[in-house]
């Protein structure tokens, strides 16, 4: 039996090179796994959204999944709110999640600090919905960036607690985190993660950025004064991050990158990084525009994905209701 993979992406803006770095692995996983990928629109309303913006961004991020190579005939791409079982399972799992566990989530602490006037209950219970997303599809593996490790580990703990009470009802998931590129950093603050919601445009490379914009942003990226292209995340975080961008775009190992730019200075290095990143992103941007130009096809693919996902989700939900002893007639 092929093992199953599930992952999701929030429609909270334009996808970044950080998202790309994690998500570029998703289509390849389908060679040996059954893959289900979701635009997690319910997750994205923990911050206040304009209705039109939410609708547009959900559509664009769904198109981006396809542009990245998720194949709707082989994989199951869909939109979370189209499958109501996610919210239903969330309630049941919430009754198996401890307040203390959720209080320890670093993303909750970070986001509460960033959105101090809107620390809503959804921000707190977000990881329970994520557990429902994963457990509904009996996923064995969850490919994510380093920032999501703690949430996937919590899903695993919730699952083990549930199975401990009711038998082997749910499949225990594991995070799948690829080493280099699992945490792409901001171009302006290399100690911070590159993020869609960073208000500083120059800190973030977007998948849809054109070549000139990429060159400009990378030229401005923070480095240091010693001029050596060396992979040292502690003492040279800006240079290490640019090396990571180059590694993701070219697949060259860090030792080879160091030799390639030995004694050539940051100007030459940055120009090469920008070209490599642009070569990598340009075809994705083109495919994205193609998908977005055919609204009827995109809607049909989203509907088909939701139907296929629902078939599976409903079966898991039934199993959970039965195991817990809900009366059915
Ligand atoms: N900087 C990053 N480096 C590597 N992987 C990353 N991911 C996010 N940022 C980086 C991974 O991309 C996948 C989809 O991310 P998401 O949109 O669902 O969630 P996020 O982690 O909240 O992404 P952002 O860009 O930081 O969005 P905002 O600003 O809205 O919070 C996930 O697997 C994630 O790990």
């Amino acid at each position: 039996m092929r093992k199953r993979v599930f992952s999701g992406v929030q429609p909270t803006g334009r996808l970044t090179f950080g998202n790309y770095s994690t998500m570029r692995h998703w289509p390849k996983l389908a060679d040996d796994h059954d893959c289900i990928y979701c635009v997690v629109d319910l997750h994205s309303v923990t911050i206040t959204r304009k209705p039109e913006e939410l609708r547009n961004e959900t559509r664009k991020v769904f198109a981006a999944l396809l542009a990245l190579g998720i194949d709707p005939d082989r994989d199951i791409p869909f939109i979370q709110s189209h499958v109501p079982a996610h919210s239903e399972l969330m309630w049941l799992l919430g009754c198996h999640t401890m307040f203390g566990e959720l209080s320890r989530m670093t993303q909750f602490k970070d986001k509460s600090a960033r959105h101090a006037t809107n620390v809503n209950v959804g921000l707190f219970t977000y990881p329970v919905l994520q557990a429902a997303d994963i457990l509904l599809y009996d996923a064995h593996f969850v490919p994510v960036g380093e920032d999501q490790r703690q949430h996937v580990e919590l899903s695993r703990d919730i699952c083990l607690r549930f199975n401990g009470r009711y038998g082997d009802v749910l499949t225990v998931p594991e995070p799948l985190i690829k080493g280099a590129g699992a945490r792409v950093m901001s171009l302006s603050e290399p100690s911070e993660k590159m993020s869609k919601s960073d208000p500083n445009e120059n800190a973030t490379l977007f998948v849809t950025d054109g070549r000139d914009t990429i060159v400009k942003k990378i030229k401005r990226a923070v480095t240091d004064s010693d001029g050596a292209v060396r992979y040292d995340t502690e003492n040279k975080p800006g240079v290490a991050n640019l090396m990571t961008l180059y590694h993701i775009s070219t697949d060259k190992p860090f030792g080879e990158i160091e030799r390639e730019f030995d004694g050539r200075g940051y100007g030459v290095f940055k120009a090469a990084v920008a070209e490599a990143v642009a070569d990598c992103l340009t075809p994705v941007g083109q495919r994205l525009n193609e998908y977005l130009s055919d609204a009827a096809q995109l809607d049909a693919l989203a509907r088909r994905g939701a139907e296929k996902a629902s078939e599976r989700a409903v079966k898991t939900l039934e199993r959970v209701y039965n195991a817990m002893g809900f009366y059915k007639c």
Side-chain angles (χ1 to χ4, degrees):
M1 190 196 65
R2 276 153 66 92
K3 298 233 163 157
R4 282 173 299 275
V5 162
F6 173 91
S7 201
V9 53
Q10 291 196 75
T12 40
R14 290 169 289 171
L15 294 192
T16 70
F17 196 76
N19 300 127
Y20 168 79
S21 172
T22 291
M23 294 168 67
R24 78 201 153 114
H25 300 296
W26 294 1
K28 291 184 216 145
L29 284 164
D31 293 342
D32 325 292
H33 301 85
D34 224 4
C35 294
I36 302 170
Y37 297 116
C38 179
V39 179
V40 289
D41 52 349
L42 294 172
H43 282 279
S44 76
V45 295
T46 54
I47 52 170
T48 311
R49 311 294 309 273
K50 292 197 179 88
E52 209 40 49
E53 180 191 275
L54 175 62
R55 243 187 303 277
N56 281 333
E57 289 183 356
T58 303
R59 212 177 134 258
K60 283 186 186 159
V61 172
F62 183 70
L65 276 183
L66 305 171
L68 284 166
I70 307 296
D71 177 350
D73 292 325
R74 176 196 60 183
D75 314 322
I76 307 183
F78 72 104
I79 293 165
Q80 186 187 30
S81 64
H82 297 182
V83 180
H86 290 248
S87 311
E88 252 181 282
L89 183 61
M90 181 198 173
W91 172 258
L92 302 174
L93 295 180
C95 299
H96 297 80
T97 308
M98 300 300 124
F99 187 89
E101 286 175 312
L102 294 180
S103 315
R104 284 194 290 276
M105 294 294 112
T106 52
Q107 194 179 81
F108 171 67
K109 291 185 208 163
D110 291 349
K111 291 209 167 167
S112 321
R114 258 194 283 150
H115 304 281
T117 54
N118 186 21
V119 185
N120 57 71
V121 174
L123 200 58
F124 188 66
T125 55
Y126 179 111
V128 187
L129 180 58
Q130 191 167 344
D133 301 337
I134 296 167
L135 301 181
L136 261 185
Y137 299 100
D138 286 313
H140 297 91
F141 300 114
V142 187
V144 284
E146 190 57 53
D147 60 318
Q148 292 295 332
R149 180 192 290 278
Q150 197 185 28
H151 286 170
V152 181
E153 282 171 355
L154 177 64
S155 301
R156 194 182 157 82
D157 291 344
I158 297 171
C159 179
L160 288 169
R161 183 173 300 127
F162 190 94
N163 285 353
R165 286 185 192 160
Y166 305 105
D168 280 341
V169 180
L170 298 166
T171 302
V172 184
E174 266 181 59
L176 200 62
I177 297 174
K178 300 273 180 182
R183 195 168 168 83
V184 172
M185 310 309 275
S186 147
L187 297 178
S188 313
E189 297 275 345
S191 56
E192 302 285 326
K193 181 185 90 135
M194 184 181 282
S195 207
K196 293 187 214 90
S197 52
D198 192 325
N200 176 5
E201 287 254 332
N202 288 321
T204 308
L205 291 167
F206 296 105
V207 166
T208 46
D209 279 345
R211 194 171 288 268
D212 292 349
T213 308
I214 294 171
V215 169
K216 220 182 307 159
K217 287 182 179 177
I218 291 184
K219 219 181 236 175
R220 287 193 189 147
V222 167
T223 48
D224 51 51
S225 56
D226 95 348
V229 176
R230 188 159 37 79
Y231 190 75
D232 178 347
T233 49
E234 194 136 316
N235 300 306
K236 296 169 65 67
V239 171
N241 192 37
L242 291 176
M243 289 178 75
T244 303
L245 301 187
Y246 195 60
H247 163 76
I248 294 164
S249 310
T250 62
D251 267 341
K252 290 182 186 173
F254 290 113
E256 187 181 331
I257 300 172
E258 287 179 357
R259 286 191 295 280
E260 185 176 344
F261 295 101
D262 187 23
R264 296 174 69 193
Y266 291 156
V268 173
F269 172 55
K270 282 182 163 181
V273 175
E275 288 306 318
V277 168
D279 288 347
C280 210
L281 294 184
T282 303
V284 180
Q286 281 165 352
R287 282 197 298 273
L288 177 61
N289 286 333
E290 281 162 25
Y291 277 111
L292 286 172
S293 68
D294 190 343
Q297 185 204 25
L298 206 58
D299 287 353
L301 292 175
R303 274 196 299 272
R304 180 146 67 96
E307 276 164 25
K308 289 205 244 167
S310 282
E311 271 173 34
R312 296 182 181 212
V314 162
K315 286 188 190 144
T316 311
L317 196 58
E318 272 308 303
R319 233 166 50 225
V320 169
Y321 276 131
N322 282 336
M324 289 179 70
F326 281 88
Y327 176 62
K328 296 276 169 193
C329 47

